[in-house]
Amino acid sequence: MMAFVKRLLSFALLAVSFQGLVLGQTYSQDDIISGKALQQMSKTAYDNALKRLEGSNSTCTKDSVHVRKEWRNIPGPERISFVKAVECLMEKPNIYPNVTGPKSMFDSFGVLHYHLTPYVHNSAYFLLFHRLYIWTYEQKLRDMCGYTGSFPYWEWGLDAGGVEKSPLFDGSETSMGSNGAKVNRTGPGGGGGFGGGFGGFPGAGSGGGCVTTGPFVNYTVNFGPNTARDPLAPNPRCLKRDLNTAMCATYASIKNTTETILEGSDIETFQANIQGDFRYPKARKWSMAVHGGGHFTIAGDPGGDFYFSPLEPVFYLHHGQIDRMYFLWQNLDWANRQTMAGTITMMNQPPSRNGTLDDILDISPVGGSFNFRQLLDTVGGSPFCFVYE
């Protein structure tokens, strides 16, 4: 019996070691769970990206490159400045004609996402569209509202022990506002609209009502949800959140983040794992995966609406973390990770052709037009110039 147990342990240790073989690096399960492996991978990816700038003809240089940082690594005054820039964007006029609900430039990003959702999720375009999307949002904060600090991302796994206590959601002036007020309810549910796109909500969070304290307590969500007869018609209401620690710990832990990167042998596998794309047998173990898990951790309205989740201000920090994972994955093996896979419709419905890097992504009037090849390199200078700490 003891010999059998030893053989099982040997196989288990082999499986643990295998996690890092794709990168020529072996990580123990303890290092994966603790975050040590992710820290090492982050440093390697950061260093590799900056090395590409040496002798490069890019307009992006080591002196000009922006470093994106996790929310809690940004000083308090800079976080407050970021919030003020977001609030500023909420006061700038909407640029979409012939719509009555959207009022602001912040809203315009919601309109863009609404129109493109069927083409930029579970498709070839998912990662590169969202990279351009949040970068364009960052540029509006800088160009229209004078923000000069670091663009933040949210490492969900750091809050797996209690999202409500997160510096992102604690309701202080240096947060992005609090949880929603506690709503008494019976039966499964909550989430305020995830059923419209992310699937059935497996359990309510700890809030569900309007944000009670801190930034965005007075923010008005102007339109949506996707289930409305006219989703772009006026529908003013408060921002609701339904923070869910169990969801974060189950689907968006540091372990899940790390293993999703390590097990991504190619772009098709990586993007399937990051989204929990059930068409791929190996991706099914992730269920809703880190993408859905991060969204479900916030939930509420509009955070729980597949089409209109960008009307939740923390959306951009959540997708900053998704892009950070993509950045790490790319820069751990840059020579072999400049590819695209998949079709150009969500879940290939309706059936469509394969996407290519020469396809054009036009996000006007909110932003510019680029071919996808230009969006691969965050330090390519055309248009990007950023790395992740």
Side-chain angles (χ1 to χ4, degrees), residues 70-132:
E70 211 282 330
W71 181 255
R72 67 206 78 206
N73 292 337
I74 297 175
E78 195 170 311
R79 286 190 243 166
I80 293 172
S81 295
F82 179 80
V83 168
K84 290 187 180 300
V86 175
E87 292 173 335
C88 162
L89 208 62
M90 291 174 173
E91 298 297 324
K92 301 297 182 183
N94 164 58
I95 56 174
Y96 275 92
N98 305 317
V99 290
T100 56
K103 305 299 181 187
S104 68
M105 186 68 210
F106 183 85
D107 288 349
S108 295
F109 279 86
V111 177
L112 173 64
H113 192 269
Y114 167 72
H115 286 313
L116 294 185
T117 286
Y119 311 101
V120 297
H121 298 86
N122 295 104
S123 73
Y125 297 159
F126 173 70
L127 291 167
L128 291 174
F129 164 78
H130 285 90
R131 171 169 287 176
L132 178 63

Side-chain angles (χ1 to χ4, degrees), residues 9 12-21 23-41 254-256 258-259 262-263:
L9 287 173
L13 290 171
L14 179 62
V16 169
S17 298
F18 177 76
Q19 297 290 335
L21 288 182
L23 309 176
Q25 171 68 52
T26 299
Y27 297 107
S28 70
Q29 195 68 22
D30 285 344
D31 285 350
I32 290 173
I33 292 172
S34 70
K36 183 178 179 180
L38 188 58
Q39 289 177 345
Q40 293 177 354
M41 291 157 59
I254 286 176
K255 178 178 183 291
N256 284 21
T258 306
E259 292 183 343
L262 289 173
E263 293 183 17

Side-chain angles (χ1 to χ4, degrees), residues 59-271:
T59 57
C60 182
T61 68
K62 287 186 176 180
D63 293 330
S64 64
V65 69
H66 288 278
V67 179
R68 292 183 172 179
K69 299 181 179 180
E70 211 282 330
W71 181 255
R72 67 206 78 206
N73 292 337
I74 297 175
E78 195 170 311
R79 286 190 243 166
I80 293 172
S81 295
F82 179 80
V83 168
K84 290 187 180 300
V86 175
E87 292 173 335
C88 162
L89 208 62
M90 291 174 173
E91 298 297 324
K92 301 297 182 183
N94 164 58
I95 56 174
Y96 275 92
N98 305 317
V99 290
T100 56
K103 305 299 181 187
S104 68
M105 186 68 210
F106 183 85
D107 288 349
S108 295
F109 279 86
V111 177
L112 173 64
H113 192 269
Y114 167 72
H115 286 313
L116 294 185
T117 286
Y119 311 101
V120 297
H121 298 86
N122 295 104
S123 73
Y125 297 159
F126 173 70
L127 291 167
L128 291 174
F129 164 78
H130 285 90
R131 171 169 287 176
L132 178 63
Y133 184 72
I134 62 173
W135 175 83
T136 303
Y137 178 77
E138 176 187 1
Q139 299 316 299
K140 297 299 183 187
L141 295 178
R142 296 189 187 283
D143 298 341
M144 300 181 73
C145 295
Y147 182 64
T148 59
S150 299
F151 191 79
Y153 66 88
W154 171 33
E155 169 57 85
W156 324 284
L158 295 175
D159 295 321
V163 180
E164 297 84 357
K165 299 178 294 184
S166 168
L168 191 60
F169 295 111
D170 63 13
S172 67
E173 66 174 350
T174 58
S175 73
M176 292 284 283
S178 70
N179 193 9
K182 179 64 177 177
V183 173
N184 294 322
R185 51 203 159 191
T186 58
F194 264 111
F198 282 106
F201 195 80
S206 58
C210 300
V211 167
T212 59
T213 57
F216 308 112
V217 69
N218 295 317
Y219 161 49
T220 298
V221 181
N222 289 316
F223 58 106
N226 178 53
T227 53
R229 176 177 295 182
D230 179 1
L232 299 180
N235 182 24
R237 59 202 188 279
C238 70
L239 171 65
K240 295 180 180 180
R241 287 179 180 152
D242 194 19
L243 300 183
N244 195 317
T245 293
M247 196 66 59
C248 184
T250 302
Y251 299 109
S253 66
I254 286 176
K255 178 178 183 291
N256 284 21
T257 296
T258 306
E259 292 183 343
T260 297
I261 296 169
L262 289 173
E263 293 183 17
S265 55
D266 53 45
I267 186 61
E268 187 171 21
T269 302
F270 176 68
Q271 68 188 17

Side-chain angles (χ1 to χ4, degrees), residues 339-360:
T339 56
M340 174 180 280
T343 67
I344 62 173
T345 50
M346 184 163 55
M347 296 290 188
N348 196 32
Q349 296 299 318
S352 57
R353 66 171 176 83
N354 288 335
T356 77
L357 291 173
D358 294 319
D359 292 344
I360 301 298

